[in-house]
Amino acid sequence: MAANEALDVTVDKLSALELSSPDSQDLSTGSEELNDEVVDFLVTEVGQDLKSLKMVGDLLEKLREENSLLEKQVVTESSQSPPKVSAALSAAEDARCSVEDLLEREKVTSDTLTKHLHDVQPWMDNLNQSIDQVETIERHIKYLRCLQHIEELSAAVQQCLMTSSVWEAIRAVDSMAALDAGLEQSKCSHLRDFLRETLNFWHKIIKDRLTGDLEKVLTQLQWAVISPPAQPLTPVANGQETSSQLELLVTQLLALQTSDDLISQKTSDSRQSPPPTQRTSSSSQTPPICLPIRIMLVPLSRRFRYHFYGNRQTNSISKPEWYLTQVLKWIGTSSTFLLERIQPILDRAGAKINARVELCRGLLSLVQEKVASDASKLLYDDTLFCHLVEEVLQFEKELRSNHAYPQSQPGLLHLLLEEAVLQKWLTVEKKMAVEKVDAMLAAEGAWNCQYKDMRDMDELKAPDCAETFMTLLQVITDRYRPLPCPAAQLKFLELQRELVDDFRIRLTQVMKEESRSPLGPRYCAILNAVNYISTILTDWGDNVFFLQLQQAAVSLGDEAVLRDLGVMELGRLASLEGSLFEGLLALLDRLRGDMMGRLLDGIMRQITEKAKPYCQDRWFSLPSQQELSTISLSSSACPMLLSIRDSLSNLHQTLSLSLFQMAWQGLAERLDSFLYQEVILSNHFSEGGAAQIQFDMTRNLFSLFGHYCKRPENFFKHVKEACIILCLNVGSAILLRNLIKEAQGDSRDGTVRDDPPPKSALNELGVYYLAPSDVLILLNLRASWPGQ
């Protein structure tokens, strides 16, 4: 009881102590919560043990010390805070006064500025008006100066021409051209028109004078060279003077090139744009032909239009080779003159111009216009259209190869990329290809191989129809390979894929008709055709040209080529792991596998028919080797082995090398299964019977396949290992049988023995393929065991 009373007194004192603090004055409403907290505190510190109440005094003393320390801290902070707060308030007041003073000064300044602006506004208006007047006067002065400069340049050109100072006249014209380029963005349309008319006027005069002089010199030098001279040309009189005059005129015309290009550009911009069918991106990106060569082209152009336009007999729409060949002749016959006469002048003038290429470009512009006109007229005549395309391709090939025309320069192929022309080309290409395929399949010797009498010539043994078909595809490739547009090339590639698939379907139809006699020569020829096409397409898949087309198809996202492909296939194409012919190759492989299966099934039907007597031999009653002087081939095996030999020989003669490899290996696999199932597992064998079948297999059957591989027994694993088991001596057979049975019993009981597993014992005997259970079955086929 005394302890409890002491506890109550302590609680009351602590409560009074807490309530006497300044904070407790603000928490009078929560006195009950505070009492509860004190009680909890005491319970935690003292607990329910009455013996621990002696610690209450120490606890009370500790709390008093803490309370005293807190009171001292409060008094210290209270004495220090007022000076800091006062200083802060004083600084704030000073700042407020400064802000108010600044605001007042800002208001006075703003009012003064507003009044000043209002007072000077009339002066500003008058000044702006004067500035505008000055600017207008300056523009007028510049306009008049520019006009005066134009008149001065015009007068200078006139004076130079009167005194035959052609170089000074050309420089003045170039200055006009530079001024015209500088006024390009000017809004003074009348000034620009006046300058342009003046420039055109003097440029034409100078150009006409130089052109006339150059034509006279060229005539003296016997230009143009229309055809190869029959005899050496006579030397030109005053040759040195003529050459010097030629160099001077060519150099002056080159100096006039800048203004000529500018005038030509202005003229082309002012004209109405040609329709899309007459516009080509390649022609619009090439610079104009240089002036000297353009003048030299005049007689050739005049002769070209004379012969190949109008009602002339040489203007025949069915004979594009006439004008194409003529242009190639002109290029060839003119090369010597250009290289010896013109090119050195261009080099000395520092002009980076190839005279021969410039002449080709000029002549090609004539041919391009003619070909575009003829192509639009031949869209409804397949024969003439095909002839035009062939001639254009041949012209392009000869131009690039024989006349070294750069690939960077446009030829004629871009004309074939016009939508209407390209679509017509694709349509005609497909139509003619289908017609040729129909004709080749209907030909009498379609399934004969032209190299059948020459074994070393053709390992693929492709029939004529397949070889002709792939040649047809190669010709199509050669035709569209030079096209400068990958998108157009991909359209032809898709056409080729369609033709291959159509040919595959035709082969399938013929195969089904011939499947009644799969051992016939036509069936094997069809199989060779399928293998030949698959081999060629596989090689094409690794060809650089088709790899480039593959990359182009992926980058362009060609829908026709990439349709039905998933993300994985697209990724393989992009990384060049796959090819554009994978889908076709898969279909051809499936057809080849199906045909090979039918062929082997037909051969096995013949062999199994011949093997019936051999399967029915009394193997359990044959005498042992000790009773026979010599062992020989079973007579019942002769028909079967002869059938196998004839089949292999026939396959070797009719099938390609790769197909024959597949055929004899597939036949060996089927024979192995057949002999194992129908002969070995279906009979019981005496010691003599086991020796006989081993002799028949190892010395006769395996030898038939030994002509085509070094170890034919490896393709007859069942038969070879079964013969090993059947020919074991009795002791070894008993031990092996016991070992296998014990291993099987242990596996059922879960017992683990230290004896070697049956697999090791079989491997020592040379048996690797047969399972122990199969070996046990073979051991049970032995006709006699000791004690039986």
Side-chain angles (χ1 to χ4, degrees):
M1 292 295 290
N4 291 335
E5 289 177 358
L7 180 60
D8 293 338
V9 171
T10 302
V11 172
D12 292 339
K13 288 182 179 181
L14 288 173
S15 299
L17 181 60
E18 295 293 336
L19 292 174
S20 64
S21 64
D23 296 336
S24 65
Q25 301 295 329
D26 299 332
L27 301 174
S28 58
T29 56
S31 59
E32 295 180 359
E33 290 82 354
L34 183 59
N35 290 333
D36 294 337
E37 292 179 1
V38 172
V39 173
D40 294 337
F41 173 76
L42 291 174
V43 171
T44 303
E45 294 291 334
V46 179
Q48 300 297 330
D49 187 6
L50 298 179
K51 295 180 180 181
S52 300
L53 292 178
K54 62 183 179 179
M55 299 170 58
V56 172
D58 298 336
L59 181 60
L60 181 59
E61 186 64 28
K62 179 181 178 182
L63 291 175
R64 284 174 179 171
E65 292 176 359
E66 291 179 357
N67 187 42
S68 176
L69 181 60
L70 290 174
E71 287 178 354
K72 291 179 180 179
Q73 291 178 355
V74 170
V75 171
T76 303
E77 293 295 331
S78 299
S79 61
Q80 292 178 357
S81 295
K84 295 181 180 180
V85 174
S86 298
L89 291 176
S90 177
E93 184 64 23
D94 294 340
R96 185 184 64 80
C97 293
S98 298
V99 170
E100 289 179 354
D101 182 51
L102 289 174
L103 290 175
E104 184 65 26
R105 292 169 59 191
E106 185 271 337
K107 185 176 182 303
V108 173
T109 303
S110 178
D111 293 341
T112 304
L113 180 60
T114 302
K115 182 178 179 303
H116 177 72
L117 291 176
H118 183 269
D119 293 340
V120 300
Q121 185 63 40
W123 296 356
M124 293 177 62
D125 294 340
N126 293 332
L127 182 59
N128 287 335
Q129 185 177 3
S130 299
I131 292 174
D132 292 339
Q133 291 176 357
V134 171
E135 290 179 350
T136 302
I137 294 172
E138 288 181 349
R139 287 197 299 270
H140 290 170
I141 293 174
K142 289 180 180 179
Y143 189 93
L144 293 175
R145 286 178 179 174
C146 185
L147 189 61
Q148 182 183 3
H149 184 53
I150 294 172
E151 292 176 348
E152 290 175 353
L153 290 174
S154 178
V157 173
Q158 184 178 9
Q159 184 67 27
C160 292
L161 291 178
M162 290 176 64
T163 59
S164 298
S165 299
V166 180
W167 278 112
E168 287 74 9
I170 292 174
R171 294 188 185 96
V173 170
D174 284 343
S175 299
M176 283 189 193
L179 183 59
D180 183 72
L183 294 176
E184 180 68 28
Q185 303 299 328
S186 175
K187 296 181 180 179
C188 301
S189 59
H190 297 290
L191 180 63
R192 287 189 286 107
D193 293 341
F194 173 72
L195 173 59
R196 196 159 300 160
E197 291 174 1
T198 305
L199 176 62
N200 290 342
F201 175 77
W202 290 118
H203 178 272
K204 184 177 185 302
I205 290 176
I206 298 175
K207 180 180 177 181
D208 291 345
R209 176 181 292 189
L210 294 178
T211 299
D213 294 343
L214 182 61
E215 287 177 348
K216 292 178 183 179
V217 174
L218 290 174
T219 303
Q220 294 177 8
L221 295 173
Q222 303 179 20
W223 176 266
V225 185
I226 304 300
S227 59
Q231 56 185 358
L233 298 176
T234 58
V236 180
N238 301 323
Q240 186 66 32
E241 181 181 353
T242 304
S243 299
S244 300
Q245 191 175 2
L246 174 66
E247 182 168 0
L248 176 62
L249 291 171
V250 170
T251 307
Q252 290 175 341
L253 285 168
L254 287 175
L256 197 63
Q257 184 75 44
T258 303
S259 58
D260 189 79
D261 293 346
L262 179 63
I263 293 172
S264 301
Q265 181 181 0
K266 300 292 184 183
T267 305
S268 61
D269 291 344
S270 62
R271 293 175 182 172
Q272 185 178 2
S273 298
T277 56
Q278 298 178 5
R279 263 195 328 262
T280 57
S281 59
S282 56
S283 61
S284 63
Q285 296 174 357
T286 54
I289 301 170
C290 69
L291 265 177
I293 303 298
R294 203 183 309 168
I295 295 170
M296 296 177 66
L297 282 167
V298 171
L300 297 175
S301 175
R302 188 183 300 119
R303 183 175 292 271
F304 184 88
R305 295 186 182 279
Y306 175 81
H307 284 292
F308 304 116
Y309 282 89
N311 298 324
R312 299 287 175 182
Q313 292 182 353
T314 50
N315 181 28
S316 175
I317 197 171
S318 62
K319 299 292 183 180
E321 62 271 22
W322 285 354
Y323 62 83
L324 293 174
T325 304
Q326 186 62 64
V327 168
L328 291 175
K329 286 182 179 178
W330 287 346
I331 294 174
T333 55
S334 303
S335 297
T336 303
F337 183 90
L338 292 171
L339 292 175
E340 294 179 356
R341 296 280 187 177
I342 306 299
Q343 191 61 50
I345 298 175
L346 297 176
D347 295 340
R348 285 192 291 270
K352 296 181 179 180
I353 298 174
N354 189 313
R356 194 176 181 206
V357 172
E358 291 292 288
L359 183 76
C360 291
R361 288 177 56 206
L363 292 175
L364 277 175
S365 63
L366 300 174
V367 178
Q368 289 168 0
E369 181 182 353
K370 181 66 175 174
V371 170
S373 174
D374 289 353
S376 61
K377 299 174 183 177
L378 297 178
L379 293 178
Y380 301 100
D381 191 322
D382 294 350
T383 303
L384 293 182
F385 180 83
C386 289
H387 181 59
L388 176 63
V389 172
E390 289 286 353
E391 291 299 328
V392 168
L393 294 174
Q394 183 62 32
F395 174 86
E396 183 81 14
K397 180 180 179 181
E398 188 170 349
L399 181 68
R400 304 288 182 183
S401 58
N402 296 346
H403 299 285
Y405 190 63
Q407 292 291 339
S408 58
Q409 296 292 338
L412 298 182
L413 294 182
H414 63 275
L415 300 175
L416 302 179
L417 300 180
E418 296 290 339
E419 185 62 29
V421 177
L422 181 61
Q423 192 59 42
K424 179 65 178 179
W425 185 6
L426 289 166
T427 303
V428 173
E429 197 78 68
K430 182 177 181 179
K431 176 184 176 183
M432 298 186 67
V434 171
E435 291 176 354
K436 290 180 181 179
V437 170
D438 292 338
M440 72 176 69
L441 289 177
E444 182 177 356
W447 303 105
N448 296 331
C449 177
Q450 57 180 329
Y451 304 111
K452 61 182 179 180
D453 297 330
M454 295 176 283
R455 295 182 179 179
D456 298 334
M457 288 295 294
D458 187 14
E459 293 183 352
L460 295 176
K461 292 185 173 63
D464 286 350
C465 61
E467 192 167 0
T468 305
F469 175 73
M470 295 310 296
T471 303
L472 172 65
L473 292 185
Q474 183 61 53
V475 170
I476 294 176
T477 302
D478 294 338
R479 276 198 287 267
Y480 75 81
R481 184 194 295 267
L483 291 179
C485 178
Q489 292 175 330
L490 289 172
K491 292 182 180 180
F492 283 94
L493 177 63
E494 179 58 22
L495 170 62
Q496 289 178 304
R497 294 180 2 146
E498 291 179 8
L499 292 175
V500 172
D501 194 51
D502 178 71
F503 194 74
R504 177 190 62 84
I505 294 173
R506 292 170 182 259
L507 291 178
T508 304
Q509 294 172 346
V510 179
M511 180 272 292
K512 291 181 179 179
E513 296 175 0
E514 298 294 329
S515 59
R516 299 173 184 173
S517 55
L519 303 181
R522 176 169 292 191
Y523 186 91
C524 293
I526 298 171
L527 184 55
N528 284 332
V530 174
N531 183 69
Y532 175 75
I533 296 173
S534 178
T535 303
I536 298 298
L537 291 182
T538 302
D539 293 340
W540 283 6
D542 297 329
N543 186 275
V544 175
F545 172 68
F546 289 105
L547 290 175
Q548 293 173 346
L549 279 187
Q550 181 173 325
Q551 289 295 92
V554 174
S555 60
L556 295 175
D558 192 280
E559 295 181 358
V561 177
L562 304 178
R563 64 172 182 267
D564 301 330
L565 292 181
V567 177
M568 294 295 294
E569 288 81 357
L570 286 175
R572 295 181 72 249
L573 286 181
S575 61
L576 300 181
E577 294 181 7
S579 75
L580 294 173
F581 304 102
E582 276 197 345
L584 293 172
L585 290 173
L587 294 173
L588 290 170
D589 290 344
R590 186 185 306 172
L591 177 59
R592 178 172 56 190
D594 180 49
M595 293 188 67
M596 183 63 71
R598 293 170 183 256
L599 176 63
L600 295 179
D601 288 343
I603 295 175
M604 284 303 300
R605 281 194 295 270
Q606 290 185 354
I607 294 176
T608 52
E609 183 66 27
K610 301 291 185 179
K612 285 182 179 179
Y614 191 68
C615 297
Q616 297 172 358
D617 269 354
R618 300 172 64 84
W619 300 98
F620 63 89
S621 60
L622 292 179
S624 62
Q625 289 181 309
Q626 290 79 6
E627 300 177 10
L628 298 174
S629 58
T630 58
I631 187 170
S632 61
L633 175 66
S634 300
S635 59
S636 59
C638 292
M640 177 187 70
L641 295 178
L642 287 175
S643 179
I644 295 173
R645 184 200 65 182
D646 295 341
S647 298
L648 289 173
S649 177
N650 184 38
L651 292 176
H652 191 221
Q653 292 177 1
T654 56
L655 293 181
S656 66
L657 181 61
S658 59
L659 286 177
F660 178 67
Q661 288 288 112
M662 295 172 55
W664 76 256
Q665 291 178 11
L667 180 62
E669 181 182 355
R670 297 189 181 208
L671 279 173
D672 181 49
S673 177
F674 169 76
L675 294 173
Y676 182 71
Q677 295 289 337
E678 302 298 328
V679 178
I680 296 177
L681 294 183
S682 300
N683 291 281
H684 287 76
F685 296 85
S686 63
E687 182 181 349
Q692 182 64 51
I693 195 171
Q694 185 182 38
F695 179 81
D696 294 341
M697 297 296 104
T698 57
R699 299 292 297 276
N700 295 277
L701 175 64
F702 296 171
S703 299
L704 294 178
F705 291 86
H707 298 288
Y708 315 113
C709 64
K710 293 182 178 180
R711 300 182 64 84
E713 63 274 8
N714 291 337
F715 296 91
F716 294 87
K717 292 183 173 62
H718 288 93
V719 173
K720 181 188 73 172
E721 295 183 359
C723 291
I724 293 175
I725 298 301
L726 292 175
C727 292
L728 286 175
N729 58 54
V730 177
S732 299
I734 294 174
L735 291 175
L736 181 61
R737 184 177 65 173
N738 294 336
L739 179 62
I740 295 174
K741 287 183 176 181
E742 291 176 359
Q744 290 179 346
D746 294 341
S747 62
R748 287 192 295 266
D749 299 340
T751 306
V752 178
R753 291 179 177 267
D754 296 333
D755 297 334
K759 198 69 176 178
S760 301
L762 292 175
N763 292 344
E764 291 178 1
L765 296 174
V767 177
Y768 300 93
Y769 190 75
L770 295 178
S773 57
D774 298 328
V775 172
L776 188 60
I777 294 174
L778 291 172
L779 291 174
N780 291 331
L781 295 179
R782 296 171 68 98
S784 61
W785 288 93
Q788 291 183 351

